[in-house]
């Protein structure tokens, strides 16, 4: 299906990468707190490292799928398994980087209201499974709207001519 599982897994991959790189960047370079009253360990440096890493991953993934050779058999990943074009990947990566973390802040507010540190202990040191994908709270609705307002709209307007 044209708008199938790739539209679930790629945003989830970007969220996980972004979350991981924010942690790494914050641990290595973090000096300036970002919304410390909500999530005391988040830093601006981690936020920036995560954004650069996630957008870089989108560019790299696009290069592996759509290398500009005339022979499409040279692609590292078949476009059949990654139907997103360059714009789609960049839009998802930028949104996952700049807006997605606020899903994490929302989850932190909910956890604090219930006096919980994590949503579980499935991943020691990272919180529960929900902690790992909390950015999906804002990314999943965005993907849905992006598909319906942009991808579906341009697909149908192109066939009516």
């Amino acid at each position: 299906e044209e708008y199938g599982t790739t539209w679930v897994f790629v945003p989830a991959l970007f969220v996980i990468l972004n979350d991981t790189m924010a942690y790494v960047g914050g641990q290595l370079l973090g000096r300036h707190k970002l919304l410390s009253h909500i999530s005391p360990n988040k830093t601006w440096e981690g936020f920036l490292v995560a954004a650069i890493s996630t957008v870089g991953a989108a560019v790299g993934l696009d290069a592996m799928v759509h290398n500009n050779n005339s022979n499409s058999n040279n692609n590292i990943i078949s476009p059949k398994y990654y139907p997103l074009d360059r714009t789609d990947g960049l839009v998802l990566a930028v949104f996952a980087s700049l807006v997605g973390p606020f899903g994490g802040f929302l989850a932190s507010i909910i956890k604090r209201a219930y006096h919980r540190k994590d949503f579980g202990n499935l991943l020691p040191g990272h919180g529960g499974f929900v902690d790992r994908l909390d950015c999906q709270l804002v990314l999943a609705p965005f993907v849905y709207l992006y598909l319906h307002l942009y991808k579906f709209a341009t697909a149908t307007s192109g066939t009516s001519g």
Side-chain angles (χ1 to χ4, degrees):
E1 180 177 316
E2 186 175 356
Y3 299 105
T5 56
T6 302
W7 287 93
V8 173
F9 289 120
V10 170
L13 174 71
F14 287 160
V15 163
I16 292 168
L17 175 67
N18 191 268
D19 197 35
T20 302
M21 294 311 295
Y23 175 78
V24 170
Q27 289 295 308
L28 295 176
L29 306 171
R31 301 280 184 270
H32 303 93
K33 298 293 182 184
L34 172 70
L35 299 175
S36 61
H37 59 287
I38 296 173
S39 190
N41 295 324
K42 303 268 197 268
T43 65
W44 280 105
E45 293 83 1
F47 183 78
L48 291 173
V49 166
I52 292 167
S53 300
T54 305
V55 171
V59 170
L61 191 55
D62 181 71
M64 288 190 291
V65 175
H66 304 107
N67 68 26
N68 293 322
N69 294 337
S70 58
N71 183 357
S72 63
N73 292 332
N74 289 335
N75 295 332
I76 296 172
I77 300 172
S78 170
K80 176 174 104 175
Y81 299 113
Y82 184 82
L84 283 65
D85 62 25
R86 178 173 290 135
T87 301
D88 297 334
L90 287 174
V91 166
L92 293 176
V94 167
F95 193 87
S97 298
L98 301 182
V99 180
F102 291 93
F105 292 126
L106 176 60
S108 290
I109 291 169
I110 293 168
K111 288 186 288 190
R112 290 197 190 294
Y114 287 96
H115 307 290
R116 301 283 308 255
K117 181 184 180 326
D118 298 315
F119 280 130
N121 56 10
L122 180 64
L123 301 169
H126 295 278
F129 184 72
V130 175
D131 285 305
R132 209 66 185 131
L133 296 176
D134 51 11
C135 298
Q136 291 291 350
L137 292 171
V138 293
L139 191 60
F142 173 78
V143 171
Y144 176 82
L145 290 172
Y146 179 75
L147 286 172
H148 281 276
L149 298 177
Y150 177 70
K151 296 300 277 188
F152 292 158
T154 56
T156 56
S157 67
T159 59
S160 63

